[in-house]
Amino acid sequence: MNKIISVLPELAECFDSDSWRPRLLDAGQLPDLFATSRVTAVHDRIDEQVEELISARRPGRVRTPGEWAAAKAEVLRGREPAEYGTWVFYPWTGRLVHVLPRDEFRFVRTDRNRNKITREEQEVLLGKCVAVIGLSVGNSAALTAAMEGVGGSFRLADFDRLGLSNLNRLRTGVHELGVEKTVLCARQLFELDPYLDVEIWRDGLTGENLGDFLDGADLVVEECDTAWVKVAVREQARARGIPVLMDTNDRGLLDVERYDLEPDRPLLHGRVGDVTAADVACLDRAGMVRLMVQMVDGTRISPALTQAMTEIGRTLSSWPQLASGTMLGGAIVTDAARRILLGRPQPSGRYYVDVEQLVGGAT
């Protein structure tokens, strides 16, 4: 054990534990990177990616070995394979990964989306900015959206760090304990697509920075536990004409608020009356709980969550959430976001995708 501990500082020098943005390099920049001794692994599968690119451009075509060689040469245009595409260095792991150029990378990565999403629609979606607040359910929503190509730009806000109790619903590992949730999510997004545009608000949202967070966003996914933020975000999203989506991780409840189409729509479908963010800031804990129950409609939440309402702070440390509900939330948020961002019908309202009722036979 002492030998292991003695080498940890030396290993730590290879990694940037606070970093979350990769470095995009060309082949000519690699010698300087290797000179730093920070590269711990090299992953170069560019030849296979080029083959996928060729197949995606002309699916179904059968080629002889000579035709494959000619097709690859056409892609490379006289360059060596190492000179083609982008070398992505992830400083938090020390990995160096060779990938296709941006347009070709996204062409191949989203190829299996067709024809559920057309090439033209994919281009539209990748031009959109998705703002995500609260990175438990929000983490699932951000990753699912990015995987599907619903958004090429992401803004992430959360003040919290990953704790052991978060591992019941976040797709990560014990090696990430203590990492800021914004940093964790940004890393996961960049490991999926290094060409994404990601910004993080690592201290969460306040009255001072909320406007900057929302300006320019095309859609907001609100998944935080703070009542003030829930109200303030909707007030400012409505003023800016930005639609808001929220999944509650209970009975598959999805809220859709189309402030882009309904500039006078009441917040949270009118369930909280005329309450303002300033009003919420003055509430005590009991008042906050009552307001949160109003938001989700206490008469329709699951029996387990109903019981939990009275136990939080006594026998329960916080709201109960499950991985299955979190993953479902990411899926239904992404599905609704895709329709909204493509201009397809998606009315405002409250929707339930209650798996226990639809599949489990509950009444």
Side-chain angles (χ1 to χ4, degrees):
M1 178 62 73
N2 289 335
K3 290 182 179 180
I4 294 176
I5 294 174
S6 67
V7 301
L8 288 180
E10 180 180 342
L11 288 174
E13 293 177 1
C14 298
F15 309 119
D16 183 348
S17 60
D18 194 49
S19 65
W20 52 272
R21 193 185 296 277
R23 292 176 58 192
L24 306 184
L25 308 170
D26 59 42
Q29 295 172 293
L30 296 185
D32 289 341
L33 176 64
F34 282 115
T36 66
S37 300
R38 295 178 63 198
V39 177
T40 61
V42 178
H43 195 75
D44 185 1
R45 312 289 292 191
I46 198 67
D47 190 64
E48 295 169 12
Q49 294 173 57
V50 169
E51 289 184 359
E52 283 195 84
L53 174 63
I54 293 167
S55 295
R57 286 174 171 172
R58 296 287 299 275
R61 179 173 174 177
V62 178
R63 294 177 173 84
T64 66
E67 289 172 330
W68 271 112
K72 291 179 183 178
E74 183 179 352
V75 171
L76 296 176
R77 296 181 181 177
R79 291 164 292 190
E80 292 296 322
E83 298 172 335
Y84 176 67
T86 303
W87 290 88
V88 185
F89 178 61
Y90 294 98
W92 53 92
T93 61
R95 292 192 181 101
L96 180 64
V97 185
H98 195 185
V99 298
L100 295 172
R102 189 189 72 167
D103 291 346
E104 288 79 3
F105 176 88
R106 287 179 167 171
F107 183 88
V108 175
R109 200 187 71 78
T110 62
D111 186 57
R112 295 292 295 273
N113 285 357
R114 297 185 303 157
N115 284 339
K116 292 188 174 183
I117 302 174
T118 68
R119 292 285 192 206
E120 294 74 20
E121 289 172 335
Q122 199 76 75
E123 286 299 313
V124 171
L125 291 170
L126 287 169
K128 300 298 185 180
C129 176
V130 178
V132 185
I133 307 162
L135 294 171
S136 290
V137 174
N139 177 285
S140 178
L143 291 181
T144 305
M147 276 190 275
E148 198 161 292
V150 178
S153 175
F154 290 85
R155 297 176 183 178
L156 311 173
D158 200 313
F159 62 85
D160 202 7
R161 293 176 179 269
L162 182 74
L164 183 57
S165 63
N166 296 136
L167 296 187
N168 81 319
R169 62 194 185 281
L170 265 70
R171 188 195 64 78
T172 182
V174 293
H175 61 290
E176 301 285 9
L177 290 173
V179 174
E180 294 170 54
K181 290 180 179 178
T182 50
V183 169
L184 171 66
C185 190
R187 289 174 176 177
Q188 292 172 322
L189 290 172
F190 279 128
E191 288 172 355
L192 174 68
D193 180 348
Y195 298 110
L196 289 172
D197 177 12
V198 180
E199 298 178 76
I200 65 173
W201 273 252
R202 59 204 312 169
D203 296 321
L205 297 178
T206 65
E208 289 71 36
N209 66 16
L210 179 55
D212 290 338
F213 179 78
L214 293 176
D215 283 341
D218 295 294
L219 182 138
V220 174
V221 179
E222 186 277 294
E223 300 293 350
C224 71
D225 295 332
T226 306
W228 177 86
V229 174
K230 287 182 176 295
V231 176
V233 163
R234 285 168 172 80
E235 285 179 341
Q236 295 208 29
R238 181 172 61 184
R240 290 166 171 78
I242 305 172
V244 177
L245 299 177
M246 178 182 72
D247 172 82
T248 63
N249 201 320
D250 185 67
R251 296 191 61 207
L253 170 55
L254 175 71
D255 276 305
V256 180
E257 295 168 84
R258 297 297 306 270
Y259 299 122
D260 54 325
L261 303 179
E262 305 164 83
D264 297 321
R265 184 174 183 82
L267 306 185
L268 287 153
H269 320 298
R271 294 185 179 277
V272 295
D274 296 326
V275 69
T276 66
D279 296 331
V280 177
C282 300
L283 293 177
D284 59 14
R285 179 176 175 79
M288 290 281 193
V289 172
R290 286 194 297 271
L291 183 64
M292 295 288 271
V293 171
Q294 280 182 267
M295 289 181 182
V296 299
D297 186 355
T299 65
R300 299 197 64 183
I301 60 179
S302 67
L305 187 56
T306 300
Q307 182 181 7
M309 289 287 188
T310 61
E311 298 297 324
I312 295 172
R314 297 195 307 120
T315 63
L316 295 175
S317 58
S318 187
W319 308 94
Q321 296 177 310
L322 296 177
S324 54
T326 299
M327 301 307 167
L328 175 64
I332 60 179
V333 163
T334 297
D335 193 71
R338 184 182 67 249
R339 285 193 294 276
I340 291 171
L341 295 175
L342 289 176
R344 294 179 179 173
Q346 177 56 73
S348 294
R350 174 157 283 183
Y351 303 90
Y352 289 88
V353 185
D354 189 343
V355 175
E356 187 166 352
Q357 184 179 53
L358 297 173
V359 181
T363 57

